[in-house]
Structures are given as C-alpha cells and as structure tokens.
Amino acid sequence: MIHAKARNILADEAGATMMEFGLVVPVLMALLMGVFDISYNMYANAILEGAMQEAGRNSTIEGANTSSVDSDVTTQVKIAVPNASLTYERKAYSEFSTVGQPEDFTDLNSDGTCNDGEPYEDANGNGSYDLDRGLSGQGGARDAVVLTATMTFDRFFPVAALIGLPSTYTSSSSTVLRNQPYNINQSAPATENCV
C-alpha cells in the first residue's frame, strides 16, 4: 500500500509546469532587464551624441553664443535622462590639424623624444613639453575647441549589480567647435627647452 502511494506521487505531474516556470522566470526576467538596461544606456548615449553635434553646428553660425552650449546640451539630455549629471571639459587648439597632437620639438639626438635640452614650441604656454598641445579652456579667436561632455546617471534597472557592474553608468561625447574671429590679435607661442 505504501509502495502504491509512493508510485502515485512519483507519477503525478500536476504542478510540474509551475516548478518549471519558477525556475525559468528569474533567468528570463534578469535577461529582459539586462536588455532593457543596455537599450536605455544606448538611448542615453544617442541623446548625448545628438545634443553635442547640434551644439557644434549651432556654435559655428555668426552671432552664436558659445557660453550657452553647456546649458543647451544639459537641457536636451535631461529631457530623456532626468537624473543625469553632466560635466564639461574644453581644450583649445590653434588649428583643426593640431587637435590631439604633441607640441613641436627639434629632435637633436634623433631618439624620438623631447629631452636633453632640445628646443620645443610651448603651444599651450604651461612651461613644459606636452603630448597634447591643447590649452585648457575656450581659447581665443579662431581657435578649434574640443568640447567633451561626460554624463553620469544611476542605472534604471538593478540588474547590473547582479553581474558586478557599477550602479551608475558613465558615457562621454566630444565635438569640435570653432571660435568666432572676434579678436584676431594672437601672440606666437614661446620656445622652451626640454628637460
């Protein structure tokens, strides 16, 4: 009699679907939230990129107000990502072709590095040789300015914590602006010697 009841219990499949559903749902929900998190982050990136490109276009027109670029980008991003915080960094260059380039130097000993008192052109005026000749800030007339916006916000879905990712998401975007020629008088960079 006990054996018959045990066989009946083992043969009973009522509730098997519920058990299978209970095993599959957490994995499915984590997968869906992961897809939604990635999608939301991609959407936020697209909004930031679009706002930066529009800022770059708008700053080139005559009479443009370059001081409002930051607030314009922030306003557009906050429509889609209300809890985002944005920071901005500017580097000015004399020409578009010099963006991200090292300062020029005369390689007297042909070793490929600026050293041993070799003369260099201090393009950013900070008194030391730099691998990026950019000058921090908005620069002067006709300067090419690389504007970089960095956006940070709390993730919308908590699934990132399950796989060890931070609870915040950070992304950045850059655009190159051209200052209006309001002041043509610019001084030539000083010549210094490498250490």
Side-chain angles (χ1 to χ4, degrees):
M1 183 136 177
I2 293 176
H3 292 293
K5 284 188 177 184
R7 263 184 280 150
N8 286 342
I9 290 173
L10 291 174
D12 187 9
E13 293 185 6
T17 304
M18 189 181 305
M19 287 296 294
E20 292 169 355
F21 183 74
L23 292 172
V24 170
V25 164
V27 174
L28 180 64
M29 291 304 291
L31 184 64
L32 281 174
M33 283 194 301
V35 167
F36 291 151
D37 186 56
I38 290 170
S39 300
Y40 185 73
N41 296 343
M42 289 174 61
Y43 173 67
N45 283 342
I47 294 295
L48 178 62
E49 284 285 333
M52 289 294 287
Q53 295 308 316
E54 184 177 355
R57 284 189 305 273
N58 290 344
S59 70
T60 61
I61 60 174
E62 188 175 349
N65 183 3
T66 55
S67 63
S68 70
V69 170
D70 296 2
S71 63
D72 291 347
V73 171
T74 300
T75 300
Q76 286 190 18
V77 168
K78 291 245 184 207
I79 291 170
V81 189
N83 66 339
S85 65
L86 286 101
T87 57
Y88 299 92
E89 179 186 348
R90 287 175 168 74
K91 276 201 167 184
Y93 301 86
S94 60
E95 298 292 331
F96 284 113
S97 61
T98 62
V99 171
Q101 296 297 312
E103 293 176 321
D104 295 329
F105 72 98
T106 304
D107 195 6
L108 298 175
N109 59 9
S110 301
D111 68 350
T113 58
C114 185
N115 55 17
D116 297 331
E118 294 171 327
Y120 69 94
E121 187 178 279
D122 191 13
N124 57 17
N126 66 356
S128 65
Y129 177 77
D130 295 302
L131 295 175
D132 185 346
R133 68 175 60 208
L135 174 67
S136 292
Q138 189 66 33
R142 297 183 189 243
D143 280 352
V145 180
V146 176
L147 172 64
T148 303
T150 303
M151 167 181 66
T152 303
F153 60 90
D154 293 330
R155 291 181 183 270
F156 196 71
F157 297 95
V159 73
L162 297 175
I163 56 175
L165 293 176
S167 61
T168 59
Y169 180 78
T170 302
S171 175
S172 63
S173 177
S174 296
T175 190
V176 181
L177 316 171
R178 179 68 124 175
N179 287 340
Q180 297 295 322
Y182 56 86
N183 182 6
I184 306 287
N185 297 330
Q186 293 179 325
S187 59
T191 301
E192 302 284 346
N193 291 331
C194 295
V195 179

